[in-house]
Amino acid sequence: MTDAQELHEAAPSPLGSRRAGVLLHVTSLPGGDLGRSAYEFVDWLADAGASVWQLLPLVPVHEDEASPYNSLSAMAGNPLLISAELRREHGLGTLAELSAEQRSQHDAWCEQQAAWLEPYAEFTVLRELHDRAPWTTWEPGLRDREPAAVAEALAPHADRLDAVRLDQWVFDEQWRALTTYAAERGVLTFGDLPIFVAPDSADVWADRAMFRLDAEGRPTTVTGVPPDYFAADGQRWNNPHYDWEAMAADDFGWWRRRIARQRELFDLVRIDHFRGFEAAWHVPVDAPTARDGAWVEGPGHEVLAALVETAGEGTLVAEDLGVITPAVDELRTSAGLPGMKVLQFAFDGGRGNPYLPRFHGEDSVVYTGTHDNDTTLGWWSELDRNARRRVRRHLPAGEPMPWALVHLALTSTARLAVVPAQDLLSLGSEARMNTPGTATGNWGWRAEPGSFTPDLAARLRSVVEETDRLPGD
């Protein structure tokens, strides 16, 4: 067992006591990778009393968009996050450069992770050989992953396969070194698991029987959500739906492997679009928008039991935003998963709004906003006078935005309060991470060098301490 694994297993449940966290993806660090700015940010978090670092998925992204929610693999790490500087320093450029001890560690890791690593390596190289065309367009032998056809196509490309495997090991080594460093400073990591996977991914190509696909691998119905706060026509995500009967027949082994991998990487994992386990929105493949979909019941308690058993109690959080029914609430609470409370959604004037602070409760995670929201300053600038008046009734007197909302989040009864870094930096809409339903202009925000100053850490720490969220309080 590695030092990182020992520290990870020894760490207490992040939801066992009151904590404060910061949401910042690796690509939004000043360095944009797992290098020195990531370590500096961990130091800053520890100084600020923020004991949870929440991130977006660390998976490899498609070339035409940077969304970590539409990845080439649900199990692999994004090689673009590897720090080239640290890689050179540690002599991990090629297999030939590895010392005998490193090579032994590399080989052992590849063998341990082979169940997902080998399909991912095959998929990556075959996709490159096809100019990154979707796998459904490949010749039938490769499309259908016939062993003989795959072996013949990849035989001349052993070096490239080795390079793909090496990149994954280097990513894993750099991430584990960083999380070990974080654990030593009392900072826990909070990952994000999208419930669905991309159609053009190693996951679907390698496990077609787990998805609702036609004979050529195309989805028979696609994912999305009906019209909501974010999009008047709903959102059409275009992921394939799961074949839940096939998954149940395997005791949800696909999901068990997926959540186990996430728990190798993170102390706590958020399940994005949790409500899809109770029922998912099925959109006809030829429908022009997501409006034309329908809810189809999912496996609910069966799959949640498998996930909790594999991940461990107290390690999963449900993203339960959007259209939430009593059945979804019952599924979440029966599985012991806390839900999310987003303050930007709280002030529509309804006295029973579940995001109002008086409805939070300990078993929840409160946010000023998420990566899908505008920054708090951007949101505030769009509110009219009446809406601002409703918000101010709940805010500390005399404190300006966005720190007034930060303060409100940290005073919540929720055990974990998470604030996007953009709000701590008092940034406007120019720093928004993602606008749901739009295809361009997302995922690119990066903090300026020197943004996370000692003064800012001291300011946050004072509120964290005041609201009893320091580790050990």
Side-chain angles (χ1 to χ4, degrees), residues 307-369:
L307 289 174
V308 172
E309 180 182 58
T310 304
E313 293 185 4
T315 64
L316 303 180
V317 170
E319 183 271 288
D320 56 346
L321 309 175
V323 181
I324 302 302
T325 65
V328 178
D329 280 334
E330 190 277 331
L331 177 63
R332 178 183 61 78
T333 57
S334 66
L337 273 61
M340 290 174 55
K341 305 294 183 181
V342 179
L343 289 176
Q344 287 188 23
F345 298 156
F347 310 109
D348 62 0
R351 293 190 176 186
N353 187 310
Y355 302 113
L356 285 168
R358 65 175 175 270
F359 295 122
H360 289 182
E362 291 186 356
D363 290 328
S364 58
V365 182
V366 62
Y367 296 78
T368 52

Side-chain angles (χ1 to χ4, degrees), residues 103-133:
R103 181 59 190 258
S104 176
Q105 292 173 352
H106 164 274
D107 293 349
W109 183 86
C110 289
E111 183 177 354
Q112 179 190 51
Q113 305 292 338
W116 66 264
L117 180 60
E118 288 309 298
Y120 171 71
E122 293 171 359
F123 176 80
T124 299
V125 178
L126 287 173
R127 189 167 175 272
E128 292 171 354
L129 294 174
H130 288 85
D131 295 324
R132 299 184 173 87

